[in-house]
Structures are given as C-alpha cells and as structure tokens.
Amino acid sequence: MYKPGTLLFILIIVFTQSSVADGLSNQSKKFTPPSKISKSDWSDLNEIKRTWDSALVRIPKSNGYYSSHIMSHLTQQPDANLKTFPTVIYLHGCAGVWEGTYTRINFLARSGFAVIAPVSFARAKYPQSCDPASAKGGMYRGTLSMRQNDAGYAIAKARQLDWVDNNNVFLMGHSQGGITTATFKPADETMSVNARIIEGWTCHAGWSEYRGINAPDNEPVLAIVASNDPWFQNHWTRGSCSTFIKKENGSRSIVLSEGELNASHELLEDQNLQKIVIDFMHTHMR
C-alpha cells in the first residue's frame, strides 16, 4: 500500500527502472522491423493478451492509499471485501511505460479510481513508432490499429473482474494513447465506456484514421492539449480537438495557450488539471 511522499517517489524510480529493463519503453524495447509485421499481427489474439497480462494495475484503498499489481499476478481482488471501483483503462504514449505513466495511474488511484494500463510494448511483434528525443512520430502507420485492439480487449476483459464497477468504466490516454482514446470505436457494448479523456493530442493528422474523434454520442470527451505542444507543430497536426467536440453531450476541449504549460506535451503532472479530469469523470458516473 502506497501513499504520496518519499516512499512513493522511491517506488516510482524502482518501477521505472524495471520497465526499462523489461523492454517496456523506447529505451529498452527490441523493436520488430516493419517488414516482419503483417496486418494479421495487429489483431493477433495472443499478441493482444500479452498487453493485458502485462497491464499495470492500481486498486484504491482508504485515505489515498492504493495497491499496485501486474495483471498476470492478480487473479482475485487482493483483500476480502467485494467492493467495486470505478475504473480507468489507461493507455500509455508512443514511448511506452515511463515515470509519467506512473504519475497518472497513481493520481487516479489516489482519487478512488481503479486503473488498468495495458502495455502495448509487451507485444512480441512491435515496431518503433516514434523517437522521443526528436519528437518524431508516425514511424509505423499500423500502430494505431494495434493500440485500438489492445484498448478494446482491455475494456471488455476489465468488465469481467469482480472489483470493476461495470457501470463506471472510462478510457484515458496520453499522446499516442490519446490518439487511440480519440479514435477507438467500440465493437459492442462490452467495449463501451462512460467517457474519454485525451491528453496531449490535437485530433488533427495527415492520415485519415488518426484524425478526429470516434466516440459515440453517449461517450463525452475531455481533451486537453497545449497550443504549442512540441510534438504537433506541423501544419497537418497543429490545432486542437475543439472542432470535433460535441459540447451538447458534456464534452469539453481545453487548450492551454498561456503559462508554463503552453509548450508542454506532458500536462497531467499539474494538480489543477488532475482535478479537472477527476471532476469530469465524477460528472459522468452512473
């Protein structure tokens, strides 16, 4: 059980180093050459299961505490009570699991939400899709389909867990995870969510399948982006999700054009924005 403070800081360092060692980030992943990947690999069930088994899990306790798990090690709720929790399916960015991933899933858990973060980098066949050092993305077009398959599987599987409140499941992602969150189309009701949260994405792209928002009308969207996000300054990516937002269903677009965050790609380290995210999910709980 963890709580904000020195212990949590140490644990984040340990977890981050473990993720690097396990090949779950750009720094350590042995990427598959695109020529060795076929479209059938994108939806290969064995590959998708790997992302679920490696998922990072957070389950809330009382007073801001939470427990941390890997999905493959968690077959039952870790304590005796049968309480269920509103749950967030969290999607990491194109660089895989990093310290910011833990920042996000931990603040969600401290706020009373269970979190399941499937790890797409756990696929055996996985291409490099970005270079964080140069903020270069779009290195493999088919990655989005892979990420969407991973997301849909995680939502459906989460609903089978005793500790997940089936009435309150949310989808949230950062960067490429945000693109996936925006463009994901639920195949059926088992893959539907209450609402979606997009961090660090503009909804504008040169590739048509990356563009816009595919959420049905009953899934409100909160999109947060900096106006000068360094990843999205090309004419085909610059902008925001505002033009795709349906305000009538409670969706909201926040564009940070002033202050120190106006040129940042990582926004949810900010506690004010964290509160906005939590309030948005509470608004759309059933």
Side-chain angles (χ1 to χ4, degrees), residues 2-285:
Y2 312 120
K3 197 172 185 180
T6 303
L7 176 60
L8 178 58
F9 178 75
I10 294 172
L11 287 167
I12 288 174
I13 293 175
V14 172
F15 287 146
T16 302
Q17 290 175 340
S18 175
S19 297
V20 171
D22 292 342
L24 301 184
S25 76
N26 258 41
Q27 296 170 268
S28 58
K29 177 68 176 177
K30 185 177 181 180
F31 292 112
T32 309
S35 62
K36 301 294 184 181
I37 300 176
S38 66
K39 285 188 176 181
S40 63
D41 293 321
W42 302 353
S43 57
D44 185 289
L45 186 57
N46 289 325
E47 287 286 85
I48 296 171
K49 284 180 177 178
R50 292 173 65 91
T51 74
W52 172 259
D53 289 341
S54 298
L56 309 176
V57 179
R58 297 291 183 270
I59 299 179
K61 300 292 185 181
S62 60
N63 301 319
Y65 286 88
Y66 55 86
S67 58
S68 299
H69 311 270
I70 300 298
M71 184 60 72
S72 61
H73 301 159
L74 180 63
T75 56
Q76 298 292 334
Q77 187 172 345
D79 55 23
N81 70 63
L82 297 177
K83 183 176 182 181
T84 62
F85 301 94
T87 300
V88 179
I89 306 301
Y90 180 82
L91 308 179
H92 63 71
C94 69
V97 176
W98 65 298
E99 60 266 28
T101 305
Y102 296 105
T103 297
R104 285 152 181 76
I105 65 176
N106 291 346
F107 96 73
L108 291 168
R110 289 196 300 270
S111 300
F113 290 84
V115 187
I116 300 171
V119 182
S120 291
F121 271 46
R123 283 172 172 257
K125 286 188 175 181
Y126 198 75
Q128 183 174 5
S129 61
C130 73
D131 176 15
S134 60
K136 178 184 178 182
M139 296 171 67
Y140 183 76
R141 185 169 181 171
T143 298
L144 182 60
S145 292
M146 301 169 80
R147 300 298 309 273
Q148 291 168 341
N149 288 329
D150 298 345
Y153 185 85
I155 296 168
K157 287 287 287 184
R159 293 186 178 281
Q160 300 174 19
L161 298 173
D162 291 342
W163 44 269
V164 171
D165 179 356
N166 280 318
N167 291 317
N168 293 294
V169 179
F170 299 83
L171 182 62
M172 175 178 172
H174 172 239
S175 193
Q176 187 184 85
I179 301 174
T180 309
T181 298
T183 58
F184 174 73
K185 295 180 181 179
D188 53 49
E189 289 186 359
T190 66
M191 297 183 184
S192 65
V193 295
N194 291 49
R196 308 183 187 197
I197 299 92
I198 303 165
E199 177 197 2
W201 173 233
T202 65
C203 294
H204 292 270
W207 291 330
S208 59
E209 69 271 25
Y210 281 65
R211 192 181 307 126
I213 293 176
N214 291 329
D217 289 344
N218 64 344
E219 294 185 9
V221 174
L222 170 63
I224 307 173
V225 71
S227 60
N228 294 308
D229 188 314
W231 281 82
F232 308 121
Q233 292 303 302
N234 294 316
H235 67 85
W236 59 87
T237 58
R238 188 175 176 85
S240 75
C241 295
S242 300
T243 55
F244 303 100
I245 287 290
K246 300 173 182 177
K247 294 182 179 179
E248 60 272 16
N249 71 352
S251 294
R252 183 182 178 189
S253 175
I254 298 176
V255 181
L256 303 170
S257 56
E258 298 180 355
E260 61 182 16
L261 292 178
N262 84 90
S264 177
H265 188 54
E266 293 80 31
L267 304 172
L268 286 182
E269 280 80 7
D270 181 85
Q271 292 184 357
N272 292 325
L273 292 175
Q274 290 178 3
K275 184 178 185 305
I276 288 173
V277 167
I278 297 301
D279 288 347
F280 177 78
M281 290 195 291
H282 278 297
T283 297
H284 297 290
M285 287 179 62

